[in-house]
Amino acid sequence: MSVENIVELLPFREWFSQAAIEWLVIVGFAAVGMLLVALVVCLIRMGPVAAFSSLGRTLTAGLVDLVRMSPRRVLAMSWLAVKESIRRRVVVVFAIFILILLFAGWFLDPSSSQPARLYLSFVLTATSYLVLLLALFLSALSLPADIKNKTLHTIVTKPVRPSEIVLGRILGFVAVGTLLLAIMGPISYGFVVRGLSHTHQLTAENLQPIQRGTTGEMAGFKGRTSEVRNHTHQATIDENGNAWVSTEQGHKHELTVHRSGDKTTYELGPPEGMLVARVPIYGKIRFKDRAGKDAEKGVNVGDEWTYRSFLEGGSNAAAVWTFSDVTPARFPEDKFPTGLPLELNIEVFRTHKGDMSDPEKVPGILGSISLRNPKTGETVDDVRIFEARDFATDTQYIPRKIETPDGKTIDLFKDLVADGKLEVSLKCVPRAQYFGAAQADVYLRANDASFAINFLKGYLGVWLQMVVVIGIGVMFSTFLSGPVAMIATLGVLIGGFFTDFMSQLASGEAMGGGPFESAIRLVTQENMVSPLEPGLQTNIAQMLDTWTSYPMAAAAAVLPKFGTFDFSSYVAYGFDISSGLILQCLCRALAFLVPVFIASYFFLKTREVAR
């Protein structure tokens, strides 16, 4: 394991210890609650002595069954579930997926500003919905259908334990879903690559000569390529024959010049930079106000979404990122000859816009990047001056050797980096204009991982969601009828996607108050920021919100957070899914599956059909 991987796993170790304690507490309380409910039911049915005796025998038999499970019988039950899934026409889901891809070209616009993001989000989201619906129907309807058709009665008369039936169902359905994803993944990848593939034409008629300003000598040629998918690229060719094109819509093309006698032709390759998997180094952000003093956050420009803080232009307001692990070994000169790549994806807020009719001709807002040694305080201002556009990814290179106006040469790693730490400051230059920035908006691009592997990781997130849904669906099917089990599983699935919002409602952090206060605002059309007028109605709503916050917080803690398994945004926005994040999600999925499996076993064991 490399040093980078070890460093990457350190936050995971801290997270794991805290999450393990919380998991043990929640599972312990749930187990005690279930035991108390079972004891009450036994007391009502049998009386005190028989109740404790029956409960003890059930727990003892359950432990024995779980320990003595036979892998051979589990595989047999899994194969039975696979054949049952095939009988239930699982291939229909695959046919629907193919139809969606065939007609997707009618609705996906490859000439959009971010076509790769559009295509990747589409295929991952469509796959997720189809596979989760398949998992929902298979897991929730299978066991009740077998009980209704009395096919399960034949199985329980054999020497098969209830734990083997439950585990076999889960593994069988997971195997079917895994096979389906293994087929859909390469097809989706090919669909994305084919949908984004294009090139441009460049001829000598499109080029104009470039002359040096002082001597008038020929310095090369420049021009624009042909328009394809609503965009062109500016091509530049210097006097030595070196050629390159500008980046548009998140990509560029390799330009090759072919000379054959007096004839010169130009060839542009396929798009580059659309399908990437960046490995970013994030820094810790802090802010400075317009006087240059430390501040908790930037100014408020009236945006209700408070994720970003804004920097006032024409002042000393700044956002400062402190980066760690900035070393020559991580940024070798042979791999980063032009300097350290600093990527920015900031929000631009304009108080005066001018003519916005043609986005290509709208000038960006000037920004400046400064560097500072966090240990000695040595600062180099305005290392880079750039034009920022709203949410457009911009790469600025921090040079290794910096020439100051007084003729001094500053070495980046010797003079500005202290113990691997470097401070990068961002400012907005023009007055009455603003930059919006958050911690993840500026990062050092240390490396690029394989996009194909990152795409596979995105499908791993879909697989984890599917596995959790299958486990929950099988659990509900052990004691509920088919339609009721499907509704219950669907409720858990929908609630799992909104656990963060439920936590905010329970803690009072959600803008607009709790559910009852929000309902009043919705009816009276009050905004979400201003407090409600005091009175009986407001007091009752806030009291009801307080009462509902406890069960809502409990539900948010117990429900699986399906949003954490969704890696589609990482893949679509071009960021590598780290191994630490995958390990966290694997542990989360396992933390739900273990108690779900145990609960499924006891539910099935206590049913009349399983006796």
Side-chain angles (χ1 to χ4, degrees):
M1 180 177 290
S2 64
V3 176
E4 289 80 1
N5 290 333
I6 294 175
V7 172
E8 186 180 51
L9 290 178
L10 290 179
F12 169 75
R13 292 174 59 187
E14 180 182 353
W15 170 89
F16 183 81
S17 61
Q18 297 173 356
I21 295 173
E22 184 178 350
W23 180 80
L24 289 173
V25 171
I26 293 175
V27 172
F29 275 108
V32 172
M34 293 179 66
L35 286 176
L36 291 176
V37 172
L39 180 60
V40 171
V41 173
C42 292
L43 287 171
I44 295 174
R45 287 183 175 182
M46 308 174 185
V49 177
F52 283 99
S53 177
S54 175
L55 187 61
R57 288 196 305 271
T58 302
L59 292 176
T60 303
L63 292 175
V64 173
D65 279 357
L66 293 174
V67 172
R68 294 184 178 180
M69 283 192 302
S70 169
R72 182 176 59 85
R73 289 194 292 266
V74 170
L75 289 177
M77 293 295 100
S78 301
W79 179 242
L80 185 64
V82 170
K83 293 192 293 185
E84 179 184 325
S85 301
I86 296 174
R87 286 199 305 269
R88 293 181 185 273
R89 304 175 187 264
V90 176
V91 71
V92 173
V93 174
F94 178 70
I96 294 174
F97 174 73
I98 295 298
L99 285 175
I100 290 175
L101 293 186
L102 287 175
F103 292 99
W106 293 4
F107 308 100
L108 297 178
D109 184 11
S111 62
S112 63
S113 60
Q114 295 290 340
R117 191 176 302 173
L118 179 65
Y119 272 74
L120 290 170
S121 298
F122 169 75
V123 296
L124 289 170
T125 303
T127 303
S128 175
Y129 286 163
L130 287 174
V131 171
L132 290 183
L133 285 176
L134 171 67
L136 174 66
F137 281 100
L138 283 181
S139 60
L141 299 178
S142 173
L143 197 57
D146 287 349
I147 295 176
K148 181 179 179 180
N149 299 330
K150 300 186 184 301
T151 56
L152 191 64
H153 292 69
T154 305
I155 296 176
V156 297
T157 58
K158 307 296 182 182
V160 178
R161 303 178 188 275
S163 57
E164 296 164 349
I165 296 175
V166 171
L167 185 58
R169 295 270 168 170
I170 294 176
L171 293 180
F173 296 148
V174 168
V176 172
T178 304
L179 178 62
L180 191 61
L181 283 174
I183 299 174
M184 296 166 72
I187 295 176
S188 299
Y189 185 84
F191 171 79
V192 171
V193 173
R194 185 177 180 276
L196 298 177
S197 178
H198 71 281
T199 187
H200 300 262
Q201 299 295 325
L202 182 66
T203 62
E205 290 77 14
N206 302 126
L207 298 172
Q208 285 92 30
I210 304 174
Q211 295 180 347
R212 301 188 188 277
T214 55
T215 62
E217 297 178 355
M218 181 74 68
F221 298 90
K222 69 176 180 179
R224 300 202 73 87
T225 66
S226 61
E227 182 175 343
V228 178
R229 296 185 176 180
N230 202 29
H231 74 279
T232 64
H233 296 266
Q234 179 172 308
T236 304
I237 305 170
D238 63 16
E239 65 271 22
N240 298 322
N242 300 316
W244 61 91
V245 299
S246 62
T247 300
E248 303 290 341
Q249 292 188 350
H251 72 281
K252 60 182 180 180
H253 301 262
E254 182 180 355
L255 177 57
T256 306
V257 181
H258 299 283
R259 290 188 173 90
S260 177
D262 296 335
K263 186 177 181 181
T264 304
T265 57
Y266 306 93
E267 180 184 358
L268 282 91
E272 299 177 354
M274 276 189 170
L275 304 178
V276 296
R278 305 177 184 88
V279 181
I281 299 178
Y282 291 108
K284 189 178 176 79
I285 191 173
R286 72 178 192 273
F287 294 93
K288 291 184 178 294
D289 60 17
R290 62 180 307 171
K293 297 180 180 180
D294 291 335
E296 183 179 353
K297 56 183 179 180
V299 299
N300 187 357
V301 295
D303 193 348
E304 293 181 349
W305 193 34
T306 58
Y307 173 68
R308 288 181 174 85
S309 287
F310 288 83
L311 313 175
E312 183 179 357
S315 69
N316 290 323
V320 182
W321 285 264
T322 302
F323 294 97
S324 301
D325 199 23
V326 182
T327 60
R330 191 156 195 179
F331 295 93
E333 189 170 0
D334 57 341
K335 191 174 181 181
F336 301 93
T338 56
L340 277 60
L342 183 75
E343 291 200 345
L344 306 92
N345 189 26
I346 57 180
E347 181 178 355
V348 174
F349 182 83
R350 300 170 182 261
T351 57
H352 52 88
K353 299 184 179 181
D355 184 12
M356 303 287 288
S357 58
D358 189 352
E360 290 190 359
K361 296 181 181 179
V362 175
I365 301 299
L366 289 180
S368 69
I369 296 174
S370 303
L371 305 178
R372 180 179 180 271
N373 187 318
K375 188 174 182 180
T376 64
E378 183 176 359
T379 304
V380 182
D381 294 325
D382 302 335
V383 174
R384 302 289 297 178
I385 302 294
F386 64 97
E387 281 192 3
R389 299 182 184 273
D390 196 23
F391 293 124
T393 302
D394 183 22
T395 303
Q396 297 293 325
Y397 289 91
I398 301 175
R400 298 173 180 272
K401 304 291 184 180
I402 305 170
E403 299 291 338
T404 61
D406 57 1
K408 182 180 178 182
T409 301
I410 295 180
D411 186 279
L412 175 66
F413 288 102
K414 291 181 179 179
D415 300 326
L416 297 177
V417 177
D419 300 327
K421 293 184 178 181
L422 173 67
E423 288 188 1
V424 177
S425 177
L426 171 69
K427 290 183 179 181
C428 180
V429 176
R431 291 184 179 275
Q433 306 287 24
Y434 297 83
F435 282 168
Q439 183 162 293
D441 289 344
V442 176
Y443 54 87
L444 289 170
R445 187 171 175 177
N447 199 359
D448 281 354
S450 168
F451 173 78
I453 296 177
N454 204 47
F455 188 81
L456 180 64
K457 294 177 183 177
Y459 265 75
L460 177 61
V462 179
W463 183 82
L464 288 174
Q465 290 179 334
M466 177 197 70
V467 171
V468 175
V469 170
I470 288 174
I472 294 172
V474 169
M475 180 192 70
F476 282 127
S477 69
T478 56
F479 66 97
L480 296 174
S481 62
V484 179
M486 187 175 63
I487 293 174
T489 307
L490 181 61
V492 172
L493 178 61
I494 295 174
F497 278 106
F498 294 96
T499 52
D500 291 337
F501 180 64
M502 293 168 63
S503 299
Q504 292 177 0
L505 285 176
S507 61
E509 297 176 358
M511 194 172 295
F516 290 96
E517 183 178 341
S518 299
I520 294 177
R521 295 180 184 275
L522 186 64
V523 173
T524 60
Q525 297 185 355
E526 292 281 345
N527 64 68
M528 295 188 298
V529 180
S530 302
L532 293 177
E533 293 185 5
L536 179 61
Q537 176 181 268
T538 302
N539 293 336
I540 293 176
Q542 293 177 350
M543 180 182 64
L544 292 176
D545 286 338
T546 302
W547 289 350
T548 56
S549 64
Y550 299 107
M552 198 174 297
V558 172
L559 289 175
K561 296 183 178 181
F562 285 103
T564 59
F565 302 133
D566 184 8
F567 300 151
S568 60
S569 59
Y570 286 87
V571 180
Y573 282 80
F575 289 95
D576 180 55
I577 304 167
S578 66
S579 57
L581 179 60
I582 292 177
L583 285 175
Q584 290 181 15
C585 292
L586 287 173
C587 289
R588 282 194 180 103
L590 185 63
F592 281 104
L593 290 175
V594 170
V596 161
F597 166 67
I598 296 175
S600 303
Y601 163 76
F602 282 106
F603 286 143
L604 183 61
K605 185 174 180 62
T606 53
R607 288 192 72 162
E608 185 68 27
V609 68
R611 291 182 179 177

